[in-house]
Amino acid sequence: MNIFPDIRGPIASATNGLVDFLVVDYGDAFEAFSNVLLQGLLFIERGLRAVPPWAMILIIAAVALAASRKPLMAVGAAAGLWFIGALGMWDQAMQTLAIILVSVCFCILVGLPLGVLAASSRMFRRGLIPVLDLMQTIPSFVYLIPAAMLFGLGKVPAILATVIYALPPLIRLTDLGIREVDGEVVEASRAFGATRAQILTGVQIPLSMPTIMQGINQTTMLALSMVVIASMIGARGVGETVLLGLQRNDSGTGLVGGITIVILAVVIDRITQAYGRRLQRHRSAEA
């Protein structure tokens, strides 16, 4: 005797119906949004690829030095980027970097306001937490399906899938950072006549910046990992090299792509973490 009701069919039918409805009734809007996003991405990508490699290496080294105040880190970042060029992966790395920049910017634009709302409203946070749990639990490959159905193949669906996958840590840590701000400091600001907006922008967000930077760091790392998976729907970049190595059973090509991804991840991680630690020390010194 079958004790399980058939809910697979209704769920699949409802999902397919929703996608068909969105494509038929709002296809033009999706296409317009896709074109705008693609043009912005291509502008950034062309800019990164137009900069001479030696100049880009110097720029990243200067950013690493400014973030960490450690010359050794700047030298390490420059050496890592030089090694990427020596592997013949410079153009692919710049394509991947452009996708990461756009995806992380979208995550910041969406994640910071949602984190602030979650910190200011307990009811909103209770409703948001299950959604974030679901976003982090669903396998990353699943995000590619609706993105590809709505926007086709290419860079745009890859960006949207990356944003959905990488967004939760930033929301969670923004919420946590704001709620951890000392209540006495907030009360003192309120006593001096500061409005809620002034308290948020002048007290809570600045004091929670170290925690927010950790969220940006984690979001960036997740975006980098998702960009590789998104190569399955035409994202190009370093992920395409890894995918080609897998499809052709070419271990060498796959290893080259993997090394490039690791170097990019280490450089980005070290820079963002160093800046977050510097903010933390600055906050401790002020306290």
Side-chain angles (χ1 to χ4, degrees):
M1 187 175 80
N2 186 9
I3 63 172
F4 300 108
D6 180 18
I7 62 174
R8 174 180 175 176
I11 291 177
S13 298
T15 302
N16 292 333
L18 176 61
V19 172
D20 291 341
F21 166 74
L22 292 175
V23 171
V24 172
D25 289 15
Y26 298 98
D28 292 340
F30 283 122
E31 184 176 359
F33 173 76
S34 175
N35 290 335
V36 172
L37 183 57
L38 181 61
Q39 292 303 316
L41 173 63
L42 291 178
F43 176 78
I44 295 174
E45 183 180 310
R46 292 191 191 104
L48 290 175
R49 298 174 71 179
V51 177
W54 62 267
M56 181 60 68
I57 291 174
L58 290 178
I59 291 171
I60 299 299
V63 171
L65 181 61
S68 65
R69 304 295 173 87
K70 295 179 180 179
L72 185 60
M73 183 175 290
V75 173
L81 292 177
W82 176 86
F83 193 68
I84 288 175
L87 290 172
M89 296 292 293
W90 185 263
D91 281 345
Q92 293 90 329
M94 292 301 103
Q95 291 177 9
T96 296
L97 185 59
I99 295 175
I100 292 173
L101 287 174
V102 173
S103 300
V104 172
C105 286
F106 262 94
C107 287
I108 292 173
L109 289 175
V110 176
L112 286 181
L114 289 178
V116 170
L117 284 174
S120 60
S121 171
R122 183 176 300 177
M123 184 177 297
F124 181 78
R125 182 166 65 252
R126 287 178 177 174
L128 183 63
I129 286 176
V131 177
L132 297 179
D133 292 339
L134 184 64
M135 291 169 66
Q136 291 184 298
T137 304
I138 293 177
S140 54
F141 288 97
V142 176
Y143 293 122
L144 302 180
I145 300 173
M149 286 181 175
L150 294 176
F151 296 96
L153 301 179
K155 297 177 183 293
V156 172
I159 290 175
L160 297 179
T162 300
V163 168
I164 296 172
Y165 179 69
L167 186 59
L170 180 56
I171 298 176
R172 291 184 186 275
L173 287 171
T174 300
D175 168 36
L176 177 64
I178 292 177
R179 286 191 291 111
E180 284 186 338
V181 173
D182 192 344
E184 293 182 358
V185 177
V186 175
E187 288 299 324
S189 302
R190 189 175 291 113
F192 279 102
T195 64
R196 290 186 62 180
Q198 290 172 334
I199 292 173
L200 176 65
T201 57
V203 177
Q204 291 176 311
I205 289 181
L207 291 179
S208 61
M209 274 305 297
T211 306
I212 293 174
M213 280 302 303
Q214 288 297 319
I216 293 175
N217 172 266
Q218 292 187 25
T219 291
T220 305
M221 294 300 101
L222 288 176
L224 182 57
S225 66
M226 186 62 183
V227 161
V228 177
I229 298 172
S231 63
M232 298 175 62
I233 56 173
R236 306 295 297 272
V238 180
E240 185 181 31
T241 302
V242 177
L243 184 62
L244 286 175
L246 180 63
Q247 291 174 338
R248 298 174 180 177
N249 197 22
D250 185 348
S251 301
T253 299
L255 179 62
V256 168
I259 291 174
T260 303
I261 293 167
V262 169
I263 293 174
L264 282 175
V266 169
V267 170
I268 295 172
D269 178 67
R270 293 297 182 270
I271 291 175
T272 53
Q273 283 207 21
Y275 184 64
R277 285 194 296 268
R278 233 169 34 88
L279 286 176
Q280 185 66 52
R281 288 195 297 268
H282 180 68
R283 175 181 173 180
S284 300
E286 286 185 343

